[in-house]
Amino acid sequence: MSRDRFLEALRDELKDVSLMETNDIIGDYREYFRDAQEAGRAEDEVIRALGSPRQLAAVLKGSEAISWRPARSAASADPVARRLAAIIALCFLNFMIVLPVFAAALSLLMALFGGAMVVLAAGCALLASSLPGHGFSGFVKLDIIGQPISNPAVIALTGVAFLIIGFLWGRFDSWLARWFGSEFMRYVRFNIRFARGGN
């Protein structure tokens, strides 16, 4: 059984659960499959671990993960007004809390990236100053605890150390940016699901 067939079968087994909760559960398990695939697990291995869609639905219905109730009828009291109020509240939350946090996180990522570039540039300058006869030795001076260092090998090794630190710093910033982008897109998908009524 493929992932899509498993999720469709699970959706069928959850037909007595409200549509919003069913969409939320299916979204969570779709993300679970995606994370497992990124971790190198095979689809059939994940399906075996989850059990049959019927068993999984029974566990979900019996747990507190969802509130067990029949799907709402179209005649429920003023669902459009409630949905509109929820969307307005979500927009307020996004504007007042999420947007400043996003701006601060983006600023931090840019500052980290700038720091990595400065360290890399310093490493390149030190390496260049260690080359004899290229005119850089008068441009860059290495001074440790008041003692000028003029040995080209020491300057070159210091430059290599700066390059390694800058590279690792840049890799960390790159990983952090990917993680932040992934979490941001997850939140955007939540907003879209919420606006469409999928919560």
Side-chain angles (χ1 to χ4, degrees):
M1 178 184 291
S2 70
R3 173 187 62 185
D4 293 333
R5 286 183 60 195
F6 180 88
L7 293 175
E8 280 309 309
L10 179 60
R11 184 182 292 278
D12 289 342
E13 294 295 333
L14 294 170
K15 60 181 172 274
D16 295 331
V17 177
S18 73
L19 179 62
M20 289 189 331
E21 288 172 324
T22 300
N23 287 340
D24 196 27
I25 290 167
I26 297 299
D28 288 344
Y29 278 97
R30 191 175 302 280
E31 190 168 324
Y32 178 76
F33 273 102
R34 190 178 316 116
D35 291 344
Q37 182 182 11
E38 287 176 4
R41 294 178 64 193
E43 227 175 64
D44 55 342
E45 175 191 347
V46 176
I47 291 171
R48 275 196 309 274
L50 290 173
S52 73
R54 177 171 290 167
Q55 291 170 330
L56 182 58
V59 169
L60 289 169
K61 288 176 185 178
S63 73
E64 295 178 9
I66 59 175
S67 56
W68 171 240
R69 62 180 183 266
R72 290 181 186 166
S73 67
S76 62
D78 210 5
V80 174
R82 276 191 306 229
R83 173 61 50 199
L84 186 60
I87 289 173
I88 289 171
L90 183 64
C91 289
F92 180 76
L93 172 79
N94 285 340
F95 184 73
M96 297 302 291
I97 297 172
V98 176
L99 187 62
V101 169
F102 175 77
L106 196 59
S107 299
L108 176 66
L109 285 172
M110 295 299 286
L112 285 172
F113 180 74
M117 292 299 102
V118 167
V119 172
L120 283 170
C124 290
L126 285 169
L127 273 177
S129 70
S130 70
L131 299 174
H134 285 85
F136 290 110
S137 56
F139 179 67
V140 177
K141 298 285 186 194
L142 185 60
D143 189 347
I144 299 177
I145 314 173
Q147 297 295 320
I149 305 294
S150 59
N151 186 337
V154 173
I155 294 173
L157 287 174
T158 306
V160 169
F162 269 69
L163 286 173
I164 291 170
I165 291 168
F167 175 76
L168 292 175
W169 188 342
R171 289 292 294 167
F172 171 73
D173 191 38
S174 171
W175 173 83
L176 199 60
R178 279 197 310 276
W179 175 83
F180 178 71
S182 167
E183 292 302 310
F184 176 73
M185 290 311 297
R186 185 175 170 186
Y187 186 71
V188 168
R189 285 194 300 271
F190 162 76
N191 276 264
I192 292 169
R193 269 196 341 254
F194 187 86
R196 288 181 178 169
N199 199 12

